[in-house]
Amino acid sequence: DVILLTLELEKTERVTLSLNDAQQKQVFLQTIQSQKIAQPVDLRALPVGTYYLTVQMESGRIVRKVVKV
């Protein structure tokens, strides 16, 4: 019930992590300034369902679907 997001970037960047539910309600937000990131995202308090994890960097964006069962 905890996701560990790890990233290693080419240079130090400002990275914003957000987790939204299927209705686009934001349930997690964290901003980090780093080159190497190891950020846990705790899902234990969230209900079963589909979520979207967005990693917004200066160099681009990554979105991944997360399903909690």
Side-chain angles (χ1 to χ4, degrees):
D1 289 313
V2 177
I3 298 170
L4 180 60
L5 176 70
T6 56
L7 290 173
E8 188 167 336
L9 307 171
E10 291 182 12
K11 62 183 178 84
T12 298
E13 290 189 50
R14 184 175 134 169
V15 178
T16 301
L17 311 173
S18 62
L19 186 69
N20 293 354
D21 66 15
Q23 288 75 40
Q24 296 304 310
K25 178 183 173 193
Q26 191 174 75
V27 295
F28 176 84
L29 180 65
Q30 179 76 43
T31 300
I32 302 163
Q33 180 87 20
S34 186
Q35 183 177 5
K36 292 184 179 182
I37 297 168
Q39 176 67 44
V41 180
D42 191 348
L43 304 177
R44 289 179 284 194
L46 299 175
V48 169
T50 301
Y51 298 87
Y52 296 91
L53 178 65
T54 302
V55 181
Q56 180 69 51
M57 302 163 285
E58 295 166 14
S59 58
R61 174 190 291 196
I62 302 168
V63 179
R64 294 290 182 261
K65 184 163 103 172
V66 177
V67 178
K68 180 178 177 184
V69 291

